[in-house]
């Protein structure tokens, strides 16, 4: 059995990464497993601990990081985010394709450790549309919205570091494109 792929999906806050992923993540043919990150940010309405993230305190995060329990980590708009190491390798050994939904700095750390990682960046059709989507979510105060928009503008200058860039203008089309990319890489890994 070939080892599973390590797939990084990035994209600015509000671009709809989760919505695109939902379209194909349960497809048994793709053998995907979503890596649940650890974060210190506040839970948004509807988010569930252990499903969307492991919500932890700064002390808990720092302890995990300092004990070498994270594959990568970063600080994003005032909060820590990181990928627990445990699970990722075991799942790949079992042939599962593991999806990390992380930002640009984390992707850089992954590329250093796993140059074979399949990296995909999702872009919005325009910055105006991105702003509309972030505001539409109505979950963050204005100051945080501004910081996330600034971060998005900076991140978008670094998309050349990714193997693929996919525009999320139409959710099902973006999902189909990513599905094909994953299928092709699975065939290649055989
Ligand atoms: P949000 O607060 O909107 O859920 O996530 C903020 C940003 O952090 C998003 O770009 C998301 O992809 C990224 N992110 C989520 N989990 C991780 C992680 O474990 N590591 C890194 N580096 N970024 C993460």
């Amino acid at each position: 059995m070939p080892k599973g792929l390590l797939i990084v999906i990035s994209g600015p806050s509000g671009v709809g990464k989760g919505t695109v992923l939902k379209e194909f993540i349960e497809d048994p043919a793709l053998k995907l497993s979503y890596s649940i990150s650890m974060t210190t940010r506040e839970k948004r309405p509807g988010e569930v601990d252990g499903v969307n993230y492991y919500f932890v305190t700064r002390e808990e995060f720092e302890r995990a990081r300092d004990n070498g329990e994270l594959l990568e980590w970063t600080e994003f708009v005032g909060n820590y985010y990181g990928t627990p190491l445990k699970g990722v390798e075991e799942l790949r050994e079992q042939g599962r394709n593991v999806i990390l939904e992380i930002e640009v700095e984390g992707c850089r750390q992954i590329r250093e450790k796993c140059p074979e990682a399949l990296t995909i960046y999702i872009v919005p059709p325009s910055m105006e549309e991105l702003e509309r989507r972030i505001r539409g979510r109505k979950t963050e105060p204005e100051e945080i919205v501004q910081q996330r928009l600034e971060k998005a503008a900076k991140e978008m200058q670094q998309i050349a570091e990714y193997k693929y860039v996919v525009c999320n203008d139409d959710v099902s089309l973006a999902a189909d494109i990513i599905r094909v990319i994953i299928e092709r890489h699975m065939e290649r890994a055989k």
Side-chain angles (χ1 to χ4, degrees):
M1 185 194 359
K3 187 175 173 183
L5 306 170
L6 183 58
I7 305 168
V8 174
I9 306 266
S10 299
S13 196
V15 77
K17 297 182 288 279
T19 317
V20 172
L21 278 179
K22 248 189 229 141
E23 295 271 308
F24 58 81
I25 196 143
E26 303 287 358
D27 182 345
L30 295 178
K31 298 188 195 159
L32 296 169
S33 292
Y34 183 83
S35 158
I36 302 166
S37 293
M38 206 182 260
T39 185
T40 60
R41 92 149 153 70
E42 292 277 308
K43 217 189 275 176
R44 291 189 189 128
E47 285 184 329
V48 178
D49 188 34
V51 175
N52 305 90
Y53 283 105
Y54 296 111
F55 294 95
V56 297
T57 62
R58 285 185 84 84
E59 292 72 28
E60 286 168 329
F61 190 100
E62 284 165 0
R63 204 177 312 131
R65 180 196 61 194
D66 298 345
N67 285 341
E69 292 168 21
L70 301 178
L71 181 59
E72 60 72 39
W73 71 278
T74 196
E75 190 159 10
F76 183 94
V77 189
N79 283 298
Y80 288 137
Y81 295 80
T83 301
L85 187 58
K86 198 172 173 296
V88 174
E89 273 311 296
E90 285 104 80
L91 285 163
R92 290 184 70 200
E93 291 297 341
Q94 292 160 19
R96 305 291 303 174
N97 300 314
V98 179
I99 294 221
L100 310 184
E101 187 192 322
I102 63 176
E103 50 65 73
V104 171
E105 174 50 35
C107 180
R108 222 168 262 156
Q109 295 170 39
I110 294 292
R111 259 200 325 272
E112 271 172 28
K113 291 183 184 163
C114 303
E116 79 282 5
L118 169 54
T119 57
I120 303 171
Y121 195 91
I122 303 181
V123 289
S126 67
M127 290 308 280
E128 291 72 28
E129 174 59 17
L130 184 71
E131 181 161 355
R132 203 185 61 75
R133 289 183 195 174
I134 294 185
R135 291 192 188 285
R137 200 156 66 182
K138 293 197 177 80
T139 49
E140 278 103 1
E142 178 60 26
E143 190 193 330
I144 299 290
V145 168
Q146 283 304 332
Q147 288 177 27
R148 283 181 175 254
L149 284 168
E150 281 165 27
K151 190 91 178 170
K154 271 193 204 134
E155 267 204 3
M156 304 264 283
Q157 293 168 2
Q158 298 161 44
I159 58 178
E161 296 178 15
Y162 286 76
K163 283 195 178 130
Y164 299 95
V165 174
V166 175
C167 178
N168 181 21
D169 195 356
D170 177 281
V171 171
S172 74
L173 182 56
D176 283 348
I177 294 169
I178 297 176
R179 180 197 297 271
V180 170
I181 294 172
I182 296 173
E183 284 169 349
R184 291 289 161 84
H185 279 263
M186 284 170 71
E187 281 163 24
R188 240 195 248 173
K190 270 182 194 160

